[in-house]
Amino acid sequence: MSHQYLPKCLSVQAALGFIDKYKSRNFASNVPWTILQLRHASVLYALFLQYLKGGVQAEPPDAGKISTCGKYAELFLTVRFDADAIRILLGNTKWALDLLHYVLNDLLDLADDLESLLSDQEAFAQKCQYTIPLISTSNQSHGHFLLILFVAVKTISSLPLIILLSSMSRAFLRFICRGLRGIQAGYATAPLTGDAGVYYAEIYRTLDTSPVRIDVYEKLLAGVDSTVRHVYHGAGFGDNERPGPEKELLVNGRIPPVLVTAVSTILRQTVPALKPDIDRMAIYMGDYSWLGLGSDRRAELYRRTRDVDIIKKIPFRSTASAGSDETQSGKHNPSQVRRRCVRCCEIMCGAYPPRPQLSSRMMYKLGYVRYCICGGGWTLESDFHR
């Protein structure tokens, strides 16, 4: 997770499919770009919990308040955080939850499509333009079923499915779920007041009202882990052979043949088993255009009218609309200082927090004072002193 060359390699690959900020990335570029953002969120949660454990800005804990809320709740009692640090967590929490909903919603749609496709061979033959003998499912041979399954899976082009199959992004998702669960567990005993308390209450409300609980996503990740390991073991893939399929997933964005049966198990067994714990209507009606991963009209409109802080994951108006308002009013807001990455063209909005605060320490520790999450340098887009 902290390998120094990992973000550099991913950012170079993501840059190859990037045209400009107003156009969606191609599929092969979207995969590393999503993994870079997952890495940012997982490292952020890990660092935050590390500061909790280290007792940054420590105060003597009240032993009478430490109950059975878990180790994270006990750690929260020893730390007092500034509002900016909690606000960064709030934005990344909303982003992480929406990404998880986006992944699960796409998997549910794929599971339904695959089930209907396998049960209707005529529709399958028309869609894939293959001439397959129409025989009943009861008399269908195992080899014929595998042929149908292989062709059906190879026609799937799904970013969430690639993200789940890749071991790197799946590990980041596990770290994120663990961090979200720990933060939610510490809410009851967290001694936060003022703006920090308001932001933390919003984090808890966001997690508490989520249409899918965090443990459901952890079950999904555990099921995918078990399925992928079983498929690799059954195919005789050891540690030396696994980099091949992983490279196919990350570089080309394609599902390797060895993982075809894993996809079938995930879509036909793992995902349907979670349906009783999912509010499908809520995640289906969600607006995921702000994630920047879609290519539909809604995502295109959002991309042209709104920007999202790449570090804090906070949406704000685009440069053009904000600049016109400032020109009319004749006043400049220091909080609207924008720094744009020279590589991915993403924006970080707002002035740097004061040095003694935890948010400032987090920014310096993660290297975001000079560089974006992709490794590109910042350039000041708005300078109010000129």
Side-chain angles (χ1 to χ4, degrees), residues 48 81-91 192 196 199-200 203:
F48 186 75
F81 298 98
D82 61 280
D84 288 336
I86 308 300
R87 191 183 184 192
I88 294 175
L89 282 183
L90 172 60
L192 297 176
Y199 290 143
Y200 197 74
I203 293 177

Side-chain angles (χ1 to χ4, degrees), residues 96-369:
L97 278 180
D98 272 1
L99 180 68
L100 289 171
H101 298 341
Y102 171 74
V103 169
L104 186 56
N105 180 58
D106 192 76
L107 289 179
L108 289 169
D109 291 341
L110 288 176
D112 293 340
D113 293 343
L114 182 61
E115 191 63 30
S116 61
L117 195 61
L118 293 178
S119 61
D120 188 352
Q121 296 183 33
E122 184 176 0
F124 167 79
Q126 292 176 357
K127 179 179 180 180
C128 301
Q129 297 180 357
Y130 276 81
T131 304
I132 297 178
L134 299 180
I135 56 178
S136 62
T137 306
S138 58
N139 297 327
Q140 194 177 47
S141 65
H142 181 66
H144 185 260
F145 172 76
L146 289 180
L147 174 61
I148 295 178
L149 180 62
F150 180 80
V151 177
V153 171
K154 294 301 285 186
T155 59
I156 294 176
S157 179
S158 169
L159 175 64
L161 188 57
I162 298 295
I163 293 300
L164 271 186
L165 291 176
S166 173
S167 59
M168 184 191 307
S169 53
R170 200 165 60 247
F172 290 150
L173 287 173
R174 285 199 304 270
F175 283 122
I176 290 174
C177 290
R178 190 180 307 169
L180 293 176
R181 181 162 42 84
I183 290 175
Q184 187 178 19
Y187 172 73
T189 52
L192 297 176
T193 59
D195 291 341
V198 173
Y199 290 143
Y200 197 74
E202 180 67 16
I203 293 177
Y204 180 80
R205 188 194 66 81
T206 301
L207 294 172
D208 190 54
T209 58
S210 173
V212 185
R213 302 188 310 273
I214 301 300
D215 63 295
V216 176
Y217 288 116
E218 290 179 323
K219 290 179 183 178
L220 173 63
L221 295 174
V224 174
D225 268 335
S226 176
T227 301
V228 171
R229 282 199 306 267
H230 178 74
V231 168
Y232 276 142
H233 180 74
F237 276 58
D239 294 337
N240 296 328
E241 292 80 15
R242 292 185 184 183
E246 293 290 335
K247 179 181 178 181
E248 183 74 9
L249 289 169
L250 293 178
V251 177
N252 300 321
R254 292 196 296 259
I255 300 174
V258 68
L259 293 179
V260 169
T261 53
V263 174
S264 173
T265 304
I266 293 170
L267 297 181
R268 304 183 71 192
Q269 298 179 19
T270 307
V271 173
L274 301 176
K275 286 185 177 180
D277 299 323
I278 299 173
D279 185 354
R280 188 168 183 180
M281 179 59 71
I283 63 173
Y284 175 77
M285 297 299 294
D287 182 9
Y288 308 113
S289 57
W290 78 292
L291 298 178
L293 304 177
S295 57
D296 57 307
R297 289 187 175 182
R298 178 183 289 184
E300 186 71 19
L301 177 62
Y302 193 95
R303 192 178 292 113
R304 291 185 174 275
T305 57
R306 304 279 288 179
D307 285 315
V308 179
D309 191 305
I310 191 62
I311 305 297
K312 304 174 185 177
K313 301 298 182 187
I314 299 176
F316 55 91
R317 287 178 298 173
S318 63
T319 308
S321 59
S324 61
D325 292 343
E326 290 175 355
T327 302
Q328 293 177 2
S329 62
K331 298 180 180 180
H332 298 300
N333 187 359
S335 64
Q336 295 302 314
V337 175
R338 290 179 174 87
R339 294 171 177 84
R340 188 177 294 275
C341 176
V342 298
R343 178 177 295 174
C344 66
C345 293
E346 295 294 335
I347 283 183
M348 180 175 66
C349 185
Y352 292 128
R355 290 293 293 270
Q357 294 184 359
L358 175 61
S359 54
S360 175
R361 299 188 187 186
M362 293 171 64
M363 294 286 289
Y364 275 90
K365 182 70 174 179
L366 296 174
Y368 295 150
V369 174

